[in-house]
Amino acid sequence: VHETLSISSQEQSQAFLELEELGRFYLWSVLKDVAVPEGVQNGFDVENLRHRMQVQTRFLGLFNALMEMLERLGVVKVDGGWAQLTNKAASPDFQRQLHRLHERAEQLLSDAPSLKPHWKLLSVCLDQLPQIISGKVTATEVFFPQGSVDLVQDVYRGDELAEAFHRMLAKMVSEWADRLAAKRPGAPIAILEIGAGTGGTTQFVMDALSNCHGLSLDFHYTDMSSGFVQNAEEMFSDLEGMCFEVLDIERPIATQGFAPERFDIVFGQR
């Protein structure tokens, strides 16, 4: 990435690793009282915990992944259906780290402020985790409270590394659009964005396309989430040449109203 960033990719990678570690501590703080009720010292039966948490069948994969995260944290050792508590879980040093969880998070965010939205989203999701896996609330209700995309959208805003890649992609799309417009003067250039989500990439692409002279644009913003599509329609309401549609790329596009091979440029970014 030929951009000057205020934080190096190595520093950012290290910051994310620290964020993941804090996330595992946070996960244990959420689950420990349920997994290990007061007075229990040895460990817990994994299947019994699943029943006590009323984990729905569709979330079994997630539940198993949570157990793996606790193993990675080093507080349990899962053998068969039994999760044995480790010496680390009861150690004074670990307890101090657990007690200082939010203090440690504040220090990390002070050093890497671009991670503040990530920590906020992580905290909200972990606080609601028992309700999500039991089916009492849906994940979309947590991600998009009252239909707002702010909680998720902020993760993609202000991330220098992500924005650098947004600019790279936007440059590529605008250059291809310029070439096509030169070959077909006046003809609309049909562009399809797949999995557009919160519109973070879209904004950069549309800004770049606005600098293309004589471009007739037919831009299709798509996502499998109707909530994202509705939000984007409001966000980009002042721009011409855009339409907003629901598209699940894992399903045949023809059955969703999209003619095959009608687009000049197709892109998506994760």
Side-chain angles (χ1 to χ4, degrees):
V1 181
H2 301 291
E3 302 238 5
T4 300
L5 306 178
S6 64
I7 180 172
S8 71
S9 58
Q10 184 175 1
E11 289 173 330
Q12 185 150 1
S13 296
Q14 182 59 41
F16 269 110
L17 288 176
E18 292 179 27
L19 181 69
E20 289 180 4
E21 178 73 2
L22 289 177
R24 288 190 282 270
F25 271 89
Y26 205 137
L27 174 64
W28 180 240
S29 73
V30 170
L31 296 183
K32 64 181 178 63
D33 290 337
V34 180
V36 190
E38 188 175 352
V40 175
Q41 297 180 348
N42 296 328
F44 56 90
D45 182 279
V46 175
E47 184 68 11
N48 180 266
L49 175 62
R50 185 178 73 81
H51 283 295
R52 283 188 284 122
M53 295 188 69
Q54 301 177 353
V55 178
Q56 294 198 337
T57 302
R58 60 196 172 108
F59 290 125
L60 286 179
L62 173 58
F63 178 78
N64 292 334
L66 297 177
M67 294 301 103
E68 291 176 5
M69 291 178 194
L70 295 182
E71 277 199 286
R72 203 176 310 161
L73 180 61
V75 292
V76 299
K77 179 65 177 177
V78 179
D79 184 8
W82 179 258
Q84 179 70 40
L85 289 177
T86 65
N87 292 333
K88 177 180 178 179
S91 70
D93 179 62
F94 179 80
Q95 293 301 318
R96 279 193 299 270
Q97 291 186 64
L98 191 62
H99 182 71
R100 294 180 56 246
L101 172 61
H102 292 284
E103 181 184 337
R104 293 169 62 202
E106 287 178 7
Q107 181 60 56
L108 172 62
L109 300 181
S110 175
D111 296 335
S114 64
L115 294 185
K116 287 181 180 179
H118 297 76
W119 175 252
K120 181 179 180 181
L121 178 62
L122 179 63
S123 301
V124 169
C125 291
L126 286 175
D127 285 339
Q128 292 292 316
L129 180 63
Q131 286 71 36
I132 293 173
I133 62 178
S134 65
K136 294 174 182 175
V137 299
T138 65
T140 52
E141 287 175 319
V142 176
F143 277 111
F144 312 113
Q146 299 180 327
S148 171
V149 300
D150 291 346
L151 190 61
V152 175
Q153 194 172 52
D154 287 346
V155 171
Y156 299 98
R157 288 176 175 167
D159 186 318
E160 291 182 288
L161 193 58
E163 289 185 358
F165 283 108
H166 290 331
R167 282 188 285 270
M168 290 173 62
L169 177 58
K171 184 173 183 291
M172 292 173 62
V173 172
S174 63
E175 287 177 350
W176 273 105
D178 250 342
R179 293 174 192 171
L180 292 169
K183 291 180 180 179
R184 294 157 28 196
I189 304 302
I191 301 177
L192 172 66
E193 181 177 9
I194 298 170
T198 62
T201 304
T202 314
Q203 186 65 67
F204 284 86
V205 171
M206 294 306 295
D207 288 345
L209 289 172
S210 68
N211 296 319
C212 297
H213 299 292
L215 178 64
S216 177
L217 188 61
D218 178 23
F219 190 101
H220 293 250
Y221 176 112
T222 71
D223 195 274
M224 64 185 297
S225 165
S226 60
F228 278 148
V229 172
Q230 292 170 6
N231 180 73
E233 194 163 7
E234 296 177 7
M235 185 188 309
F236 299 106
S237 60
D238 59 331
L239 299 182
E240 297 182 357
M242 293 188 73
C243 62
F244 306 88
E245 299 156 295
V246 173
L247 172 64
D248 181 354
I249 199 60
E250 294 187 351
R251 294 169 46 217
I253 63 171
T255 64
Q256 302 176 71
F258 292 84
E261 300 182 12
R262 76 172 294 285
F263 292 99
D264 300 299
I265 301 172
V266 179
F267 74 92
Q269 180 162 305
R270 295 293 295 170

